[in-house]
Amino acid sequence: MAIAVYPGTFDPITCGHMDIIERAVPLVDKLIVGVYENLAKRPLFSLEERVRLVEEAVKDLPNVEVKAFKGLTVDFIHQVGGKIMIRGLRANSDFEREFEMALMTRKLAPDIEPLCLMTSSQYQFLSSTLIKEVAELGGCLEGMVPDHVAAALREKFSTSTKLATGKGKR
Amino acid sequence: MAIAVYPGTFDPITCGHMDIIERAVPLVDKLIVGVYENLAKRPLFSLEERVRLVEEAVKDLPNVEVKAFKGLTVDFIHQVGGKIMIRGLRANSDFEREFEMALMTRKLAPDIEPLCLMTSSQYQFLSSTLIKEVAELGGCLEGMVPDHVAAALREKFSTSTKLATGKGKR
Amino acid sequence: MAIAVYPGTFDPITCGHMDIIERAVPLVDKLIVGVYENLAKRPLFSLEERVRLVEEAVKDLPNVEVKAFKGLTVDFIHQVGGKIMIRGLRANSDFEREFEMALMTRKLAPDIEPLCLMTSSQYQFLSSTLIKEVAELGGCLEGMVPDHVAAALREKFSTSTKLATGKGKR
Amino acid sequence: MAIAVYPGTFDPITCGHMDIIERAVPLVDKLIVGVYENLAKRPLFSLEERVRLVEEAVKDLPNVEVKAFKGLTVDFIHQVGGKIMIRGLRANSDFEREFEMALMTRKLAPDIEPLCLMTSSQYQFLSSTLIKEVAELGGCLEGMVPDHVAAALREKFSTSTKLATGKGKR
Amino acid sequence: MAIAVYPGTFDPITCGHMDIIERAVPLVDKLIVGVYENLAKRPLFSLEERVRLVEEAVKDLPNVEVKAFKGLTVDFIHQVGGKIMIRGLRANSDFEREFEMALMTRKLAPDIEPLCLMTSSQYQFLSSTLIKEVAELGGCLEGMVPDHVAAALREKFSTSTKLATGKGKR
Amino acid sequence: MAIAVYPGTFDPITCGHMDIIERAVPLVDKLIVGVYENLAKRPLFSLEERVRLVEEAVKDLPNVEVKAFKGLTVDFIHQVGGKIMIRGLRANSDFEREFEMALMTRKLAPDIEPLCLMTSSQYQFLSSTLIKEVAELGGCLEGMVPDHVAAALREKFSTSTKLATGKGKR
């Protein structure tokens, strides 16, 4: 299956993302995890931090590369010679959005095939957004994110609390 | 059923919330309505105002207490000795979010049981967000919020119009 | 919470049903599992078999009773003095049906409160129908149904295969 | 808006159907309620009975006609000179099916426009199927079907009980 | 069908909107496209720009008028003497929101009937939001928006890039 | 991507199925279209007829094989040495069922990866069931099924009409 790209904001990478990555690896010759800048979503972690957290998470997996990108996802996939866009589906809210994006992708780049894997049932209800909310309030994230990501979240929120009491998140 | 907590932002409390509260009361020994600070959502009413509007709304109901809280909902429920988290389900959009939250709750605090009541059909399509939009534009809210809440909304929006013509809401 | 009824066809009882039962027990004084005759659905197991499989499954749980019933669910709940109808919600297809039934229940019997528990994530995608399809085709059901139910399914399908090769199920 | 057709099985007509009919009448020059034979669904009432129950229900409404039909809905609409197909939408399960049918309709007959009205909130959770289940079990249907339909349901089920104890409905 | 209003933000008008407008025109005596100010959504185009883009798009259609409005949609419909509110339904995410709005509309103004048309299948997955995201990143929008809208989007984003590199959109 | 299996009842094969097959072919070394016996669904076409209609449809595609199968889908995939199960997703009703099946598949056979392709927008609202209903009533199926399938449907229904006027389909 030549080269596949798994694009996302990864703010931060979760066990749900890892589940998709680990299952996609054996299907393709090379998997490129594309970390999207996505300033519009005001990510908690900088692009560089997000790339580093993903790199640490996939460092033992063969044939996986991590790259940051800006601009249109299909342009990025073309640049790296990809033919496949990997997406992880969860049972709930992101499905319609996935459809919009998949059909837009095929309109913009008919040579790229969006392929969806079903997120495993234990990760169905994990989202980066919910994880950040729980982390900000000091909740335990065991089994939801890799350990180094949990540490990064703790550090991020302890810093932001120290520096900016009364901050106006989001 | 010992102590149950009904958490929410209540910005402001609606007839849909009251429907859930009135039906939960006979099921439990004590019902604590937990008003969540929720700065991230930039509530229209201050935490103190929201607590006061809820207190006024439930003042004739037995065994109901109103408390403000910050931080993780499960931590608040533990603090007040609750065993049950009451949620109101509506037929539409909040269902998947409910699932995410219920499963996250059970992960963070397996001793707390999220219990859902089905919102009555006449309140299925009420949301605090829609109500605020209608109130801001001067629409009539009869039968959607308690009378004192309607009054508070009118006052809030007349003030904000006077003070801040050209305001940039949200 | 006085007496609660958990009604269903239980054709057969699954680990998803058991999850709901075990979590409902600590919330109520008595839980009655109501096994509905439901001839319209042409159940695989007879009413007596279904009751026996449920009884075996709940035999170590305190304050649980199993009863067969015919006719309207709300009439059955009234007969046994129940005030609460327990329902298990799964993230997928049964939600709208649940809403229809809950609102019909409240219309027919405003004194009975339908209470929903969220099925745990590992059982979200289990359904009696899917389990029967897999069992009929000889698939392994470990972790999906209690052991004695798995045995009953194996026996049921080995018999039906012997007696009725070329049968026209459903 | 010339002539509009409101097609359905109407087995039997409910207050939800009446809500749609009453609101469609002022919008069009003539409304034809098309009662579809629909043998595939094994209706409880015969085509003649269903037509009669609809006629009785709409007898005081101006510019409404009731007609039975077989075959393709779009062919029927063409025969009666209709330009519009009226559909009632409920918040739950029938939405996707509606989409399939609307797009198929437009494919088969681009000159016919499917127009949807939103069922009022008090009828959102009514379905002919659920009503028949409740009626069969002797439940009260007040406010769900017109009175003469409630009577017809009572008679139908008392007859079928007398004639066919142990019947295998559906 | 007297006068109908098709309200929206139209930021900017898409081929999906045009599909609804073109199909609504033959059904009504006059169609008023109501462009809602909607400052809360921080539209990309000013109210005047949006009105002009819609006017250009509908200039060859008979019996269509374009008007800007502020305040409650139902108040605007009353002002222009409308009896019908036209809405376009897409298979995905906006359905529940549509229901909320339709039922709120009927509560605020029982004399106005919300009528829904089903968006044609080729436009099911188009949204103004997605189109703006693609336009901002330089993607081709052929077949998704009228040509003059594509030009306006190109100009808007080239300007904003020139003036405000490093801007924090949204 | 080694060997992939695209299982289904194909009663009959539609343009939506063909869309998935044509897009899956370039992704894999070999694609096996598995036609499931599925007596439970009482297919219109016999297993042999369905296989023949699929074979005719794919005869010009490289690396595609058609095979009939009975029993568990995962057993069939193992028998043919497949590692991937191809599924086509449509925006509407089959999504939850897909999730149930995908998670059951992974439970029964963790070595098989279910991969979903998004059905193209023009085929989103096609289903074999709807097509059979339209065909039975004499509607035109151009662009919905391959020509030889349209012919087979016409013949099937003209025969069944001749033989069995007044038949009780389904």
Side-chain angles (χ1 to χ4, degrees), chain A residues 60-81:
Chain A
D60 296 332
L61 294 172
N63 306 319
V64 179
E65 246 178 76
V66 185
K67 280 183 199 292
F69 76 98
K70 306 176 182 188
L72 276 183
T73 303
V74 293
D75 290 345
F76 170 65
I77 299 178
H78 280 155
Q79 271 163 36
V80 298

Side-chain angles (χ1 to χ4, degrees), chain C residues 17-28:
Chain C
H17 298 130
M18 286 306 297
D19 175 48
I20 297 297
I21 291 172
E22 286 165 5
R23 286 159 49 199
V25 161
L27 302 177
V28 299

Side-chain angles (χ1 to χ4, degrees), chain B residues 48-113:
Chain B
E48 292 67 35
E49 288 171 322
R50 285 179 277 144
V51 167
R52 227 174 309 129
L53 291 172
V54 177
E55 281 175 342
E56 172 71 16
V58 304
K59 69 172 192 285
D60 295 332
L61 294 172
N63 305 320
V64 179
E65 247 178 76
V66 185
K67 280 182 199 293
F69 75 98
K70 308 178 181 186
L72 277 182
T73 303
V74 293
D75 290 346
F76 171 65
I77 300 178
H78 280 154
Q79 272 163 36
V80 299
K83 288 285 176 222
I84 290 162
M85 182 170 77
I86 298 286
R87 304 292 301 169
L89 281 186
R90 299 187 305 137
N92 41 345
S93 56
D94 56 4
F95 184 59
E96 283 88 9
R97 173 80 179 163
E98 282 301 319
F99 249 101
E100 272 193 10
M101 285 186 56
L103 292 173
M104 180 61 96
T105 297
R106 283 177 53 71
K107 190 145 197 156
L108 294 172
D111 58 316
I112 297 174
E113 187 66 56

Side-chain angles (χ1 to χ4, degrees), chain F:
Chain F
M1 272 227 288
I3 296 175
V5 172
Y6 179 36
T9 306
F10 302 106
D11 182 42
I13 190 166
T14 69
C15 289
H17 298 131
M18 286 307 297
D19 174 47
I20 297 296
I21 291 171
E22 284 165 6
R23 287 158 49 200
V25 161
L27 302 176
V28 299
D29 291 339
K30 185 157 89 174
L31 181 70
I32 295 171
V33 183
V35 182
Y36 178 42
E37 184 182 36
N38 210 353
L39 293 181
K41 268 205 190 163
R42 304 196 180 179
L44 176 67
F45 291 98
S46 73
L47 183 56
E48 293 67 35
E49 288 171 320
R50 284 180 277 145
V51 167
R52 227 175 309 131
L53 291 172
V54 177
E55 281 174 343
E56 173 70 17
V58 304
K59 69 172 193 283
D60 296 333
L61 293 171
N63 305 321
V64 179
E65 246 177 77
V66 185
K67 280 182 198 292
F69 75 99
K70 307 177 182 187
L72 277 181
T73 303
V74 292
D75 290 345
F76 171 66
I77 299 178
H78 280 154
Q79 272 163 36
V80 298
K83 288 286 176 221
I84 290 162
M85 182 170 77
I86 299 285
R87 304 293 300 169
L89 281 186
R90 300 188 303 137
N92 41 346
S93 57
D94 56 3
F95 184 59
E96 282 89 9
R97 173 78 178 164
E98 281 302 320
F99 249 101
E100 273 192 9
M101 285 185 57
L103 292 174
M104 179 62 95
T105 297
R106 283 177 53 73
K107 190 146 197 155
L108 294 172
D111 59 316
I112 297 173
E113 186 66 56
L115 270 192
C116 300
L117 284 84
M118 301 297 205
T119 301
S120 297
S121 60
Q122 69 267 41
Y123 303 126
Q124 284 286 334
F125 299 97
L126 273 193
S127 73
S128 291
T129 303
L130 192 55
I131 280 171
K132 281 179 282 188
E133 288 176 18
V134 171
E136 183 170 9
L137 302 170
C140 167
L141 296 170
E142 204 189 312
M144 303 188 207
V145 292
D147 288 348
H148 69 284
V149 173
L153 280 163
R154 272 192 304 274
E155 193 188 356
K156 180 67 78 179
F157 284 115
S158 75
T159 315
S160 72
T161 309
K162 261 179 266 159
L163 294 183
T165 306
K167 96 229 91 88
K169 197 204 73 164
R170 233 185 315 166

Side-chain angles (χ1 to χ4, degrees), chain E residues 37-131:
Chain E
E37 184 181 35
N38 210 354
L39 292 182
K41 270 206 189 161
R42 304 196 179 179
L44 176 69
F45 292 97
S46 73
L47 183 57
E48 293 67 34
E49 289 172 320
R50 285 179 276 145
V51 166
R52 228 175 309 128
L53 291 172
V54 176
E55 281 175 344
E56 172 71 17
V58 304
K59 69 172 193 286
D60 296 332
L61 294 171
N63 305 321
V64 179
E65 245 178 77
V66 185
K67 279 182 198 293
F69 75 99
K70 306 176 183 188
L72 278 181
T73 303
V74 292
D75 289 347
F76 171 66
I77 299 177
H78 281 154
Q79 271 163 36
V80 299
K83 287 285 177 223
I84 290 163
M85 181 170 76
I86 298 284
R87 305 292 301 170
L89 280 186
R90 300 187 304 137
N92 41 344
S93 56
D94 56 3
F95 184 59
E96 282 88 8
R97 174 79 179 164
E98 281 302 320
F99 250 100
E100 273 192 10
M101 285 184 56
L103 293 173
M104 180 61 95
T105 297
R106 284 177 52 72
K107 190 145 198 154
L108 294 172
D111 59 315
I112 297 174
E113 187 67 56
L115 268 192
C116 300
L117 283 83
M118 301 296 204
T119 302
S120 297
S121 60
Q122 69 267 38
Y123 303 126
Q124 284 285 335
F125 300 96
L126 272 193
S127 72
S128 290
T129 302
L130 191 55
I131 279 172

Side-chain angles (χ1 to χ4, degrees), chain B residues 1 19 23-24 27-28 83-84 86 89-92 95-96 98-99 102-103 106 113-121 124, chain C residues 1 19 23-24 27-28 83-84 86 89-92 95-96 98-99 102-103 106 113-121 124:
Chain B
M1 272 228 288
D19 174 48
R23 286 158 50 199
L27 302 176
V28 299
K83 288 285 176 222
I84 290 162
I86 298 286
L89 281 186
R90 299 187 305 137
N92 41 345
F95 184 59
E96 283 88 9
E98 282 301 319
F99 249 101
L103 292 173
R106 283 177 53 71
E113 187 66 56
L115 269 191
C116 300
L117 284 82
M118 301 297 205
T119 301
S120 297
S121 59
Q124 284 286 334
Chain C
M1 269 225 291
D19 175 48
R23 286 159 49 199
L27 302 177
V28 299
K83 287 284 175 224
I84 290 163
I86 298 285
L89 281 187
R90 299 188 305 136
N92 42 345
F95 184 59
E96 282 89 9
E98 282 302 319
F99 250 101
L103 293 173
R106 283 177 53 73
E113 185 67 56
L115 270 191
C116 299
L117 284 83
M118 301 297 204
T119 301
S120 297
S121 60
Q124 284 285 336

